[in-house]
Amino acid sequence: GEVLEALPAIRRWLVRSARSRSRREGHTPIPLGHIRALLHLAQYGPMSMGELARGLGVSCSTATECVAGLEARGRVVKQRPLSDRRQVVVSLTPEAQEVASQVLAQRQGVVERVLRQLPPRERRAFVRGLALLAEDVEAGMDGVAALDSDMPARVERSYGA
């Protein structure tokens, strides 16, 4: 019912918030997959291509294509650690990190504003329900393990649950 009707609106807002910030910064629009990768790297820091693919729930080849596009746009850099030259670690450029951090802060502000409208008990129940939904969705995504297994606990801590 209501939850399923709200999800598309939330998804559109998440996409638009990232795309509008990018346009305001004078960048050409980028595909949704690139936005997801940028925000994932901003949240979790530099990581291998395999970790990025798992975190995004995509194949390694899809992650590689995405990173190539972001690298061509000057938004990420790839490095090979001296300890394992076969591995490639992807990180955001300082400019991309700043834009992504602003998008994440804007999203955080909206979520906090909305949650403050709920009494503490309802807020805790809402956050717990959302965390359980996210956990279940992650577990069911073609058997792909979540990159961050303590995500429900982290969500609850972030929103005072």
Side-chain angles (χ1 to χ4, degrees):
E2 290 179 53
V3 172
L4 291 179
E5 290 172 12
L7 291 176
I10 293 168
R11 184 177 192 281
R12 284 191 302 273
W13 169 69
L14 290 169
V15 171
R16 287 181 184 146
S17 68
R19 285 193 171 146
S20 66
R21 171 65 68 175
S22 183
R23 277 194 292 271
R24 280 196 304 273
E25 298 292 324
H27 301 292
T28 57
I30 63 173
L32 177 58
H34 291 196
I35 292 170
R36 289 182 60 229
L38 286 171
L39 295 178
H40 191 79
L41 288 165
Q43 285 182 280
Y44 300 104
M47 61 186 64
S48 71
M49 294 293 275
E51 290 169 329
L52 180 60
R54 280 188 299 280
L56 296 174
V58 300
S59 68
C60 283
S61 62
T62 298
T64 299
E65 286 178 32
C66 179
V67 167
L70 290 169
E71 187 178 34
R73 293 170 186 263
R75 297 200 172 116
V76 298
V77 292
K78 296 188 305 189
Q79 297 176 319
R80 293 190 181 273
L82 294 175
S83 60
D84 184 355
R85 302 298 289 167
R86 296 169 297 169
Q87 189 178 45
V88 173
V89 174
V90 183
S91 59
L92 296 178
T93 62
E95 178 187 71
Q97 179 67 52
E98 184 176 328
V99 171
S101 294
Q102 290 170 357
V103 169
L104 293 171
Q106 176 195 19
R107 289 178 177 183
Q108 180 79 20
V110 170
V111 170
E112 288 174 358
R113 186 182 77 236
V114 169
L115 288 177
R116 278 194 302 269
Q117 296 175 37
L118 297 173
R121 187 173 179 182
E122 287 180 35
R123 184 180 319 138
R124 285 190 298 272
F126 173 79
V127 170
R128 181 66 186 143
L130 190 58
L132 287 171
L133 176 62
E135 186 178 79
D136 192 65
V137 168
E138 285 289 326
M141 286 180 46
D142 299 326
V144 175
L147 179 64
D148 189 358
S149 61
D150 77 333
M151 190 233 339
R154 192 170 27 79
V155 169
E156 288 180 34
R157 285 191 305 273
S158 296
Y159 298 108

